[in-house]
Amino acid sequence: MITLVIVSALLLTLAVGKPCASDHEALLLSFSKQLLQSVDTQETLPNPSVHIALRLSTHHNLAKESEHLNRIKAEFHDDIEKSLRNNELVVGHLALYILALKSSCHDLESVHLTHNEMKESLLIHLKKEMEEEKQNIAFGHRPKTNYYQYSLGILALCVSGVRVSTHVSQKLIHAVEHRQLKPGESLCVDSHAVAGMALQCLKDEGIAVKDNAELDRALATIKQRLLDSKRADGHMGNEFSTGLAVQALIAMGSQMEECGSAMEALRADLKKGTYHNPMAISQVLPALHQRTYLHLKSQECRNENDTLTLDADSPAEVLLSHRQVSLQVEVMKSSGASSVFSIHVPRGSSLFEALNLLQDKQTGFTFNTEDSLWGAFLSVVNEEQARQTDRRYWHISSDGTSLTQGIKDYKIDLAQKITIKNTGY
Ligand code: B12
Ligand SMILES: *[C@@H]1O[C@H](CO)[C@@H](O)[C@H](O)[C@H]1NC(C)=O
């Protein structure tokens, strides 16, 4: 008993003062390489979140990073202007764009968006969209985008040293207190994590809020909810929210005892190869380096270790098995009407490949997707579109369990029934 007390006291002293420590250099290095590898593909839009993660890492490939930033300034920039022409809000993408520029110490004032024949600096435009979202919350009780993006917007302004209006920050604080940060069915760990970083930034920068005591309460609430989301295996929320949750806890000044097991869970995921999607890697890597988006405030871009190189190309050829698995696909439309389709697919196919095979069989199943930073988002099924503007989406589950990945990442390894249901949120 006494030895136990001594041992745990010893462990505690070792842990205290080390904010969520992580070592495993080699593991981290190969993870950084994997992310660097992803910027080489020209098929998808360059991803600002990936850029931020590379820039927050210890080892760099400065030539590839600067090339990537140039592509973001051209292609991603154009994509934002295209959305503006379609009268869409671009809060989340614009916030990540600003943070990406900031992560490379790029002069923000030199970049402008052209919209309605007007030229506006990125920060001014983001401020305007945040005002608009604030109105949407005031009159429609939620932002047109979502609180994840609203928080990213506050974070980007704050990290760039721009004063955030007290009305804008108050809406987020209020939403935290009234449990409104959830786009889906359950508490959203991801949104709480970004909200935590945004509000912590306001506090650190001494940016005026309506009520300081209320800000502190919201921060404490977020921290508690993140800690409460911890599963027995250490993850906070799921595999894909844990990175952001750890980042937020580090930003909020947590010590080892509070996120050590989550850090362990992330390392175990790394070894298991859980993360392939560049967006997923980009949300995990900073946490493993014990860095957070708040570090971008004081990013200096000097004396960086420019030794990160790609290994000679070893294309990870995935050989599909000849074994077939049987798959049922159930579609539940908004009217409640349901139809079931059956097909055999090669074991190890992605759900996307499986749905394509099903579509090719011409048994009445059709689908369409939209691109996002996470990849292909299923938007149309059997001619019915689940529109985000109507707050609807196609929810996907397997034998009753919600998928935690998108259709291109989810692999069919066993016979199962996939349910695609038009759902409101
Ligand atoms: C809000 C949100 C949603 C909303 C988005 C609509 C809205 N306007 O609010 C809704 C409820 C529709 C949604 C749905 C889903 N989501 Co979601 N979502 C988020 C969240 C919290 C924020 C996304 C965001 O606004 N990003 C803004 C950035 C700046 O831009 P963006 O990425 O291009 O934004 C768009 C995409 O993210 C897209 N989107 C949202 N979720 C998903 C999931 C996938 C797989 C894809 C391809 C796209 C996508 O919607 C955003 C707005 O248009 C993230 C959390 C996170 N860590 O990123 C989870 C997250 C991205 N979602 C996730 C999942 C699993 C899903 C679902 C697959 C759940 C399910 N079982 O059905 C579905 C998608 C199914 C489909 N039809 O393809 C996972 C993805 C993990 C992974 N490895 O792929 C995340 C990381 C949450 C988590 N920790 O599990 N989601
Ligand atoms: C850069 O990192 C590598 C690998 O960790 C290390 O061996 C090297 O000494 C570092 N170089 C500089 C200039 O710090």
Side-chain angles (χ1 to χ4, degrees):
M1 186 60 197
I2 292 176
T3 28
L4 204 80
V5 172
I6 294 175
V7 168
S8 28
L10 238 164
L11 282 177
L12 216 76
T13 15
L14 284 176
V16 165
K18 259 201 230 164
C20 305
S22 126
D23 26 272
H24 296 253
E25 273 284 324
L27 198 62
L28 266 184
L29 211 56
S30 77
F31 203 44
S32 289
K33 281 185 185 175
Q34 202 183 333
L35 193 58
L36 187 66
Q37 189 92 56
S38 81
V39 311
D40 264 357
T41 65
Q42 312 276 319
E43 299 139 37
T44 49
L45 273 185
N47 183 333
S49 177
V50 166
H51 191 75
I52 298 165
L54 289 172
R55 297 292 308 147
L56 283 174
S57 298
T58 320
H59 295 95
H60 298 271
N61 184 319
L62 296 175
K64 285 210 186 295
E65 286 170 12
S66 115
E67 195 186 312
H68 190 227
L69 188 69
N70 284 334
R71 280 189 60 212
I72 291 173
K73 281 174 62 190
E75 297 163 43
F76 193 76
H77 185 108
D78 284 352
D79 192 69
I80 289 182
E81 289 184 339
K82 192 169 115 206
S83 301
L84 291 179
R85 284 195 295 278
N86 293 333
N87 288 317
E88 289 164 23
L89 287 176
V90 291
V91 177
H93 282 195
L94 183 52
L96 286 181
Y97 184 24
I98 289 170
L99 291 172
L101 290 167
K102 190 85 187 132
S103 74
S104 278
C105 303
H106 195 286
D107 175 20
L108 285 173
E109 292 306 320
S110 69
V111 185
H112 293 84
L113 285 174
T114 308
H115 175 41
N116 290 339
E117 275 147 45
M118 267 188 355
K119 264 177 94 175
E120 259 171 6
S121 86
L122 302 182
L123 291 167
I124 300 269
H125 188 79
L126 180 56
K127 269 194 99 135
K128 284 191 179 163
E129 290 210 359
M130 291 303 286
E131 285 298 315
E132 193 176 335
E133 282 293 53
K134 183 199 79 188
Q135 294 301 104
N136 288 327
I137 298 172
F139 298 110
H141 303 289
R142 40 187 180 178
K144 204 179 239 167
T145 59
N146 52 50
Y147 278 112
Y148 181 95
Q149 297 193 31
Y150 192 74
S151 302
L152 265 185
I154 293 180
L155 183 63
L157 291 174
C158 176
V159 160
S160 309
V162 174
R163 199 183 57 80
V164 177
S165 112
T166 55
H167 300 285
V168 168
S169 53
Q170 182 56 30
K171 290 276 183 278
L172 181 59
I173 294 170
H174 184 271
V176 169
E177 291 188 325
H178 293 82
R179 297 190 161 269
Q180 283 157 355
L181 307 195
K182 42 177 176 186
E185 55 266 55
S186 55
L187 171 111
C188 184
V189 170
D190 313 67
S191 305
H192 277 83
V194 184
M197 285 189 267
L199 295 179
Q200 186 67 45
C201 182
L202 298 180
K203 187 174 162 71
D204 294 350
E205 294 297 280
I207 294 179
V209 292
K210 196 167 140 256
D211 178 347
N212 282 316
E214 210 184 350
L215 172 63
D216 287 338
R217 270 206 308 279
L219 280 166
T221 303
I222 291 173
K223 188 167 172 184
Q224 197 52 53
R225 286 192 195 146
L226 290 177
L227 293 174
D228 289 347
S229 75
K230 195 182 286 182
R231 308 192 307 208
D233 66 1
H235 288 103
M236 295 184 171
N238 64 20
E239 289 85 337
F240 302 102
S241 49
T242 305
L244 288 177
V246 170
Q247 247 202 77
L249 287 175
I250 296 174
M252 294 193 281
S254 281
Q255 300 295 310
M256 182 64 176
E257 313 90 82
E258 285 175 328
C259 46
S261 59
M263 205 65 120
E264 271 313 317
L266 289 179
R267 272 190 227 120
D269 286 330
L270 233 63
K271 287 184 196 141
K272 264 190 289 180
T274 305
Y275 307 115
H276 295 285
N277 188 315
M279 188 65 167
I281 300 178
S282 79
Q283 295 187 347
V284 167
L285 196 57
L288 288 166
H289 278 107
Q290 297 171 63
R291 309 209 69 202
T292 83
Y293 294 152
L294 299 198
H295 284 107
L296 298 174
K297 269 187 311 203
S298 49
Q299 186 84 332
E300 283 191 322
C301 309
R302 275 189 288 141
N303 302 327
E304 293 174 323
N305 188 319
D306 190 12
T307 57
L308 191 67
T309 49
L310 291 179
D311 301 330
D313 239 352
S314 54
E317 206 32 74
V318 220
L319 285 175
L320 282 185
S321 148
H322 291 296
R323 291 265 292 282
Q324 301 270 313
V325 291
S326 77
L327 183 71
Q328 280 193 307
V329 176
E330 178 181 33
V331 176
M332 295 175 80
K333 291 198 164 182
S334 59
S335 64
S338 116
S339 33
V340 181
F341 305 86
S342 297
I343 188 173
H344 289 275
V345 301
R347 197 166 117 199
S349 313
S350 69
L351 179 55
F352 177 76
E353 289 161 337
L355 295 181
N356 262 321
L357 288 173
L358 185 57
Q359 178 164 259
D360 291 346
K361 274 194 12 180
Q362 301 192 320
T363 50
F365 177 86
T366 62
F367 77 106
N368 227 323
T369 61
E370 271 165 31
D371 280 334
S372 76
L373 294 178
W374 279 95
F377 182 82
L378 183 62
S379 54
V380 184
V381 179
N382 291 351
E383 249 103 82
E384 180 169 283
Q385 179 161 22
R387 278 173 221 276
Q388 298 193 15
T389 43
D390 302 333
R391 299 192 181 284
R392 301 197 70 83
Y393 74 109
W394 290 104
H395 176 268
I396 314 169
S397 52
S398 163
D399 293 332
T401 307
S402 276
L403 296 197
T404 58
Q405 288 180 295
I407 53 175
K408 283 207 174 157
D409 293 333
Y410 183 76
K411 298 283 186 296
I412 311 287
D413 289 321
L414 298 167
Q416 59 197 282
K417 178 174 176 182
I418 293 286
T419 302
I420 304 175
K421 184 177 180 197
N422 190 328
T423 309
Y425 63 91

